[in-house]
Structure formats: structure tokens, C-alpha cells
Amino acid sequence: MPARTTREEARARILAAFEAQLDRVIPVDETVSLKGATFADFEDQVETLAQAALPVALEERSALADSAQVEQAGPCPHCGSEGVYLEKEETQPEVHSRHGPVVVHKQHSRCRSCGGSFSPSGA
Ligand SMILES: [Zn+2]
């Protein structure tokens, strides 16, 4: 049951997403004025940062789970048959997290005995 990415790739993507948002709130260039004037403005800016960067962290953490991608479907949860296969096509449903929408990879399996379908991946 492998992960879908490496820690190094995951960290790089998370840091890039965070840095891109941070550049909008606190640009490194001292000649660029900071936006906003009140605490509420700052709160909005940081909330925007969080909603853009934190879902990336959640997507990457999910992709690192041991169960992010299975190689075998396991028994059918409907009838218990072992005659199950993984479908080649995966879907990428959008899941709602605390910090906004997150896209996850989802595998699908089908049972040869009862025709039932299910998702084998735990992550
Ligand atoms: Zn079945």
C-alpha cells in the first residue's frame, strides 16, 4: 500500500503554496506597501492565506498515507467475495475540509460476484 508522493515532493509543494500566499500578505520587497490598516483587514488576509495554503498541506498529507494507493482491492464489502478487481480509472472528488475544498485521489473496485462497487483506498 504505497503513498502517492514522497515527503520531499509534498514538503516542496506545501512550502511553495504557503510562500506564494505569504508573498501576497507580506512581500519580501520593502518598497511594496503592506495592504490593510485594521486588525480585521489583517485577519482577512491571513484567512485567505490559510484557505489557499492549508488544503494543499492536507492533500499532500493524504497522499503520503500508506493507504493512499492500494495494489489489491481486498474482499468485497457487500458479499465478502475475493473476486474483486481494481478499476483502472480513478476519480478526484473534491472533499470539504475545515479550510476549504481539497482534491483527493480515489480508487474504485468492482466485485465479479455481486457487481457491487466500492472504494478500496482508506485515505
Ligand atoms: Zn460482492
Side-chain angles (χ1 to χ4, degrees), residues 5 10 14 55-66 68 123:
T5 186
I14 293 164
V56 175
L58 187 52
E59 286 173 4
E60 291 301 319
R61 180 58 188 93
S62 296
L64 281 168
D66 290 339

Side-chain angles (χ1 to χ4, degrees), residues 14-73:
I14 293 164
L15 289 172
F18 188 86
E19 191 168 17
Q21 292 304 313
L22 186 58
D23 284 347
R24 298 169 66 117
V25 180
I26 308 174
V28 175
D29 185 349
E30 298 273 354
T31 65
V32 178
S33 330
L34 297 174
K35 293 181 180 134
T38 66
F39 187 81
D41 295 337
F42 310 150
E43 211 173 12
D44 289 346
Q45 293 169 2
V46 172
E47 187 56 34
T48 300
L49 178 156
Q51 287 183 8
L54 295 181
V56 175
L58 187 52
E59 286 173 4
E60 291 301 319
R61 180 58 188 93
S62 296
L64 281 168
D66 290 339
S67 59
Q69 190 168 35
V70 299
E71 287 163 359
Q72 295 192 337

Side-chain angles (χ1 to χ4, degrees), residues 75-84 110-118:
C76 173
H78 306 296
C79 72
S81 169
E82 297 283 340
V84 164
R110 189 163 291 279
C111 176
R112 289 188 179 92
S113 297
C114 74
S117 64
F118 59 97

